[in-house]
Structure formats: structure tokens, C-alpha cells
């Protein structure tokens, strides 16, 4: 059985640490900083870091890779289409790779960056999606088009509802405030906003999320819902007949929110 813990980094990043107690091996996702991982290893003698999984090239996701590689010799897995420091294995859409005995599928999810990938574990229902799908929101479009990001999110939205969503940032509260501005009459968004507000006041993290929860409360996955379409149309004072156009409208609205 794999245990997954969040190691906080910077102001709002989480480095996901996957641990296999039977073999005392662990793997980390998107180590933007080496220090939290090295501190964990120092506090857990006998454990070995076997793999470093990378979703995209931004500094807050890759900044600790080289130091961890030198310290532990871990294998570095990352997207084929991006420049990833000391990468051992270049991964693209449809690739399969085994980490800590888990079979992971690689999904290309361009939009936030052009080469962004996600890692999906079907049997246990785990998704490591970097800065693509966030709890209540999605990543900014630094490199891709709204159409690309919309298609990437549609792919993730089609995964089983119970899939646990391990994204990289604690943005949930501000995302849900935007979700509520889009759908002020959605009771599930209101309930989630008050729940996450309580969690954050208590210092508790808001992750992982699930695909089912995101389908119910994340406006970026709800671009075919009449209330969401109407909200985008009202905001921009024009008509939209394509979900990807609704998505583009919401993304631009959120950037200004
Ligand atoms: Zn990023
Ligand atoms: Fe990031």
C-alpha cells in the first residue's frame, strides 16, 4: 500500500511524497525545492528516494531536482517535450512507467505549458496533474491556447469520479471564491467554500480533491452547464456556442478576478 503525504514548499506548493513502507522506498512529484525532501529523508533513516516525477519545467517544480539527484541517485522522469534538469527518462502521451511497484500512465495535458504531462494510476485511482487541474480551478495559460487547455481538462474530467486529484498548489480557497462568482446559486460550491475555509483556518490542507468533486464545483470543468454559459455570456456581454469558448472566457475572467 502506498502512502502519500504533502511536503509544503515555498508559499503554496506541495511536493507529493509517495512511500512504500514494505521496501522503504519513496518517490517525489515536482520537487521545486530539495530541502523538504532531504529533511524528510534525514528524519526517516533507511528510506531511499528512488524516483523523481516531473510534470513540467517551471522552476517551482524542478528547482530541487539536481540536488536530490546528486544526494540520492534517484531516477528523474519528466516530459519529453520540455527541458528538465538531469532527466533519465523522457515521457510522452500514452507511455507507461512503473514507480514503487505502481503502474503509471502518462497523459499529455498541454495548456499551462506546452509539454505538460500528468501521471495517472488506474488501480488505486491517483492523478498527479501538476498545474493543469487545480482544486476548484485550473492553471494559467503560460504557453498553450485555451482550446488546448480545455481539451486537457476534458481528458482529466473523463477519469473515474473517485480518482484522487493531487495537484501542486494550495489555491483552492481563491479558486472557490471565483467559482462562487460564476455560480452564486450552486449549493455544492457554497458548501465546499465554507468547508475549505474552515480547513484553511485550522491550518489543514485542502488536497487531494477528486474528479467527482471537481465536476460538481470547478467552473472550468462545467463549461456545458447552462448557468456557467450564462455567467460567461453576461460577463462578456456576448454569446458563446462552444464549450471551449466558455472556457476561454472563464480563464480570462479569472485572470482579472
Ligand atoms: Zn507551473
Ligand atoms: Fe507551479
Amino acid at each position: 500500500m502506498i502512502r502519500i503525504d504533502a511536503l509544503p514548499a515555498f508559499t503554496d506548493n506541495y511536493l507529493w511524497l509517495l512511500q512504500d513502507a514494505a521496501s522503504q522506498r519513496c518517490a517525489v512529484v515536482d520537487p521545486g525545492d530539495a530541502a523538504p525532501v532531504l529533511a524528510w529523508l534525514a528524519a526517516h533513516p533507511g528510506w531511499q528516494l528512488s524516483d523523481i516525477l516531473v510534470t513540467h519545467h517551471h522552476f517551482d517544480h524542478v528547482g530541487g531536482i539536481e540536488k536530490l539527484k546528486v544526494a540520492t541517485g534517484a531516477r528523474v522522469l519528466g516530459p519529453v517535450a520540455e527541458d528538465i534538469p538531469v532527466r533519465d527518462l523522457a515521457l510522452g502521451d500514452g507511455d507507461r512507467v512503473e514507480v514503487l511497484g505502481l503502474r503509471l500512465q502518462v497523459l499529455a495535458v498541454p495548456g499551462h505549458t506546452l509539454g505538460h504531462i500528468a501521471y495517472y494510476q488506474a488501480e488505486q485511482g491517483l492523478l498527479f496533474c501538476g498545474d493543469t487541474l487545480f482544486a476548484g480551478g485550473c492553471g494559467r495559460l503560460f504557453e498553450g491556447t485555451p482550446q488546448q487547455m480545455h481539451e486537457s481538462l476534458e481528458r482529466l474530467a473523463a477519469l473515474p469520479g473517485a480518482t484522487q486529484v493531487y495537484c501542486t498548489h494550495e489555491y483552492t480557497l481563491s479558486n472557490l471564491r471565483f467559482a462562487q462568482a460564476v455560480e452564486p446559486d450552486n449549493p455544492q460550491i457554497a458548501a465546499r467554500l465554507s468547508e475549505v475555509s474552515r480547513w484553511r483556518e485550522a491550518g489543514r490542507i485542502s488536497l487531494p480533491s477528486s474528479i467527482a468533486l471537481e465536476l460538481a464545483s470547478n467552473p472550468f470543468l462545467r463549461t456545458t452547464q447552462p448557468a456557467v454559459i450564462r455567467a460567461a455570456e453576461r460577463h462578456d456581454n456576448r454569446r458563446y456556442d462552444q464549450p471551449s469558448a466558455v472556457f476561454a472566457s472563464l480563464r480570462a475572467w479569472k485572470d482579472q478576478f
Side-chain angles (χ1 to χ4, degrees):
M1 194 60 194
I2 295 290
R3 176 188 165 122
I4 304 174
D5 288 318
L7 305 181
F10 309 115
T11 51
D12 51 38
N13 283 67
Y14 295 125
L15 319 184
W16 295 109
L17 189 74
L18 287 65
Q19 303 143 62
D20 176 38
S23 66
Q24 292 209 316
R25 288 182 308 146
C26 57
V28 68
V29 183
D30 283 349
D33 186 4
V37 184
L38 293 173
W40 189 93
L41 290 168
H44 296 78
W47 281 74
Q48 188 202 343
L49 182 72
S50 65
D51 294 277
I52 298 169
L53 308 177
V54 184
T55 64
H56 69 292
H57 67 85
H58 284 161
F59 182 76
D60 63 309
H61 300 249
V62 304
I65 295 175
E66 283 195 71
K67 204 168 178 185
L68 288 174
K69 174 82 173 168
V70 169
T72 66
R75 179 175 65 157
V76 177
L77 297 74
V80 64
E82 297 193 352
D83 198 18
I84 305 296
V86 297
R87 185 184 55 205
D88 297 299
L89 194 54
L91 298 171
D93 194 49
D95 283 344
R96 283 160 198 272
V97 65
E98 196 170 307
V99 171
L100 303 176
L102 294 173
R103 284 197 302 267
L104 302 177
Q105 291 173 42
V106 176
L107 306 172
V109 283
H112 178 70
T113 65
L114 283 176
H116 200 303
I117 59 173
Y119 299 89
Y120 174 56
Q121 210 293 322
E123 288 78 13
Q124 298 199 31
L126 309 172
L127 175 69
F128 299 94
C129 54
D131 289 354
T132 299
L133 175 62
F134 287 132
C138 72
R140 283 176 187 263
L141 304 180
F142 285 111
E143 298 175 14
T145 64
Q147 180 74 38
Q148 281 175 317
M149 186 62 141
H150 178 65
E151 283 172 23
S152 295
L153 292 174
E154 297 270 275
R155 278 189 90 180
L156 300 181
L159 296 173
T163 305
Q164 300 292 294
V165 177
Y166 291 89
C167 53
T168 311
H169 290 274
E170 180 63 67
Y171 292 157
T172 316
L173 208 46
S174 65
N175 286 338
L176 290 172
R177 289 195 187 107
F178 175 72
Q180 190 160 58
V182 175
E183 289 188 84
D185 301 325
N186 182 323
Q188 283 172 287
I189 291 173
R192 191 179 183 193
L193 180 55
S194 60
E195 180 177 53
V196 171
S197 299
R198 283 197 306 277
W199 288 352
R200 297 303 296 149
E201 275 161 29
R204 198 190 136 171
I205 83 171
S206 67
L207 303 173
S209 178
S210 71
I211 292 294
L213 193 52
E214 294 311 311
L215 287 171
S217 55
N218 185 330
F220 296 99
L221 300 190
R222 296 173 55 76
T223 54
T224 59
Q225 296 291 319
V228 175
I229 298 168
R230 279 197 305 274
E233 289 180 339
R234 261 199 314 274
H235 182 262
D236 298 343
N237 194 26
R238 53 167 296 183
R239 292 236 153 249
Y240 292 116
D241 53 11
Q242 294 295 325
S244 62
V246 175
F247 173 81
S249 164
L250 294 174
R251 188 56 266 180
W253 181 0
K254 174 69 162 62
D255 287 345
Q256 308 296 326
F257 188 71

